[in-house]
Amino acid sequence: MQSWRRFLIQLWRMVFCLVLTALIVGALPFTPIFANVSVFFLDAFSKVTLSSPKEPIAITVLGGGLTRDDGRIILNHYSQSRINSTYQLHKDTGLPIITSGVESPWFDDYLSSLRKSVTASDNASMNTCENAIFTAKLLDYHELTKSVYLVTDRYHMARARRQFARAGVDTTPHPAPLFIPLQWRNPENNLIHSRRAIYEIAALARDIFRPQENCRTADQITLEEIGTPRRKPKIFSHN
């Protein structure tokens, strides 16, 4: 009888621990902890797998998407945050700017409104590996050393740096903050960050174990195609 009692007590303790663990793990994405721990491991991955970067000679900003506002196409909050960070970094360093992605015309227009010019624009890349490959081609064309500050959000940074390293470009990370802040009292915001972290961890794993097959090489695209915008912004608007 006592042995059954001990067994039931141990079983209850095990079930209690499992349920408690599930509740804690399930709740973590609604707190800042999950996002911050994810970034810690993503940064650690870059430090372990990449060599120390050389002195940056340019700033490369990666597009994060576009959105619509009253019928106009404008930068979404990812892209706007990245170009804001790029502008501030340029003010601090004076380094030339290379924009990368279909968002480049909007980036260029934004910087022009601030009386800052872009050295080169990659308008053709459709994903992160093409961002890296086409940026490397632009650096070669402008006879610039392949070492840049890389501007993107902190969740995307590890995957982007790996792709740039594969293209032969050294990167010094310069993370752009998301407009949506991490806050203990705002679980909805925290969940947005956690989803972003989960997506990038999964995408990094995919890039490692099953690389994308839809990335064009430098030989498959001309400098003219890289420099030609797919569509120019009709109206510029600050976010």
Side-chain angles (χ1 to χ4, degrees), residues 103-132:
E103 302 85 355
S104 284
W106 285 262
F107 283 159
D108 296 358
D109 197 45
Y110 177 82
L111 292 171
S112 295
S113 74
L114 300 173
R115 298 184 180 179
K116 298 297 178 182
S117 60
V118 172
T119 297
S121 292
D122 152 33
N123 298 273
S125 60
M126 298 298 294
N127 49 44
T128 304
C129 61
E130 289 187 353
N131 286 144

Side-chain angles (χ1 to χ4, degrees), residues 28-76:
L28 281 178
F30 294 91
T31 74
I33 295 175
F34 185 91
N36 288 330
V37 170
S38 297
V39 169
F40 173 82
F41 283 104
L42 287 169
D43 289 346
F45 172 83
S46 294
K47 290 177 181 177
V48 170
T49 58
L50 302 179
S51 58
S52 299
K54 301 174 184 176
E55 185 70 21
I57 51 78
I59 303 167
T60 296
V61 54
L62 307 186
L66 300 167
T67 188
R68 286 187 177 274
D69 179 40
D70 293 331
R72 297 172 300 164
I73 298 176
I74 62 172
L75 298 172
N76 69 7

Side-chain angles (χ1 to χ4, degrees), residues 113-186:
S113 74
L114 300 173
R115 298 184 180 179
K116 298 297 178 182
S117 60
V118 172
T119 297
S121 292
D122 152 33
N123 298 273
S125 60
M126 298 298 294
N127 49 44
T128 304
C129 61
E130 289 187 353
N131 286 144
I133 293 167
F134 300 164
T135 297
K137 186 162 184 169
L138 287 172
L139 289 168
D140 279 337
Y141 175 75
H142 289 278
E143 298 181 346
L144 295 172
T145 304
K146 290 184 179 180
S147 183
V148 301
Y149 280 111
L150 187 61
V151 182
T152 184
D153 66 75
R154 65 179 190 157
Y155 306 108
H156 183 225
M157 187 64 73
R159 183 162 67 95
R161 292 190 69 198
R162 180 177 181 275
Q163 292 289 0
F164 272 72
R166 287 169 59 86
V169 181
D170 284 334
T171 54
T172 297
H174 188 80
L178 300 189
F179 280 170
I180 303 168
L182 281 168
Q183 295 175 330
W184 279 98
R185 296 183 179 181
N186 196 328

Side-chain angles (χ1 to χ4, degrees), residues 203-223:
L204 177 60
R206 177 208 63 198
D207 285 355
I208 294 171
F209 297 107
R210 191 177 179 182
Q212 291 174 266
E213 297 179 352
N214 61 337
C215 291
R216 291 165 289 177
T217 66
D219 295 333
Q220 291 176 322
I221 193 166
T222 65
L223 284 167

